[in-house]
Amino acid sequence: MLPRVTVQPDFPHKVSQIRHDLDDLYELMSQVDSSQTRISGVLHRHNNRFEELQQTLDLHGGRLDRIEDNQRRMQDSQQRLEDNQDRMDGRLGGMDGRLDGMDGRLGGMDGRLGGMDSRLDRMDGRLDQVDGRLDRIEDNQHLQFEHLSGQIAEILSVLRGPAAAAPAPESER
């Protein structure tokens, strides 16, 4: 004779509850996969934009290098002009007899140096404007980076949120 098997009265209910829980888990996994796909797309777009911003920053860095090179050349030119002026002053010290004739010539040189100073002042103003623009670009990119960092942190918290949450007790299901 076969042993008698008894079925607990709530066994079919537990099986039904487990099936329901499995269906809920599959649905949650499907939602997580969908969210992950959307987030991956967003991250990819943000990464592309970040690379574009990096290229723009590199371009502006190259421009700034060229501006600095131009500024160094202008300083070198100014130094050469100052050196030339110093040499002229030394020669003029020994030429007391010719000073009257040389005053007219020196006046012309002073006018040219004044013109050069005004050009250097204009170039300095332009360099200040470029520096201001580059500062604004850097501030803008910093803000965009902070914004992207915040979005990434939010995305990560969304991704980690459902996985870290404790399952609800059976009485709430």
Side-chain angles (χ1 to χ4, degrees), residues 65-172:
D65 289 343
R66 286 192 302 277
I67 289 170
E68 289 172 348
D69 289 343
N70 288 338
Q71 186 179 19
R72 277 191 288 278
R73 281 195 297 268
M74 293 296 282
Q75 288 171 345
D76 290 344
S77 295
Q78 183 178 2
Q79 184 61 45
R80 284 193 303 273
L81 286 172
E82 289 173 1
D83 292 346
N84 287 338
Q85 185 178 3
D86 290 344
R87 282 194 300 275
M88 289 298 283
D89 288 343
R91 287 180 183 172
L92 289 175
M95 300 180 166
D96 287 337
R98 296 181 172 178
L99 282 179
D100 292 337
M102 296 296 280
D103 281 339
R105 292 180 193 169
L106 287 176
M109 287 180 82
D110 284 341
R112 282 185 258 157
L113 289 175
M116 186 62 91
D117 282 343
S118 67
R119 282 188 239 151
L120 289 173
D121 288 343
R122 286 193 308 269
M123 179 59 80
D124 188 41
R126 289 179 191 156
L127 289 173
D128 288 342
Q129 290 174 351
V130 168
D131 188 42
R133 282 189 250 153
L134 289 174
D135 286 344
R136 287 190 300 274
I137 289 169
E138 179 180 328
D139 291 344
N140 187 22
Q141 288 181 344
H142 180 71
L143 289 173
Q144 289 176 351
F145 177 76
E146 287 179 358
H147 180 70
L148 288 174
S149 295
Q151 287 180 337
I152 289 170
E154 185 177 319
I155 289 168
L156 288 174
S157 70
V158 168
L159 287 174
R160 292 179 182 149
E170 287 186 32
S171 61
E172 292 180 13

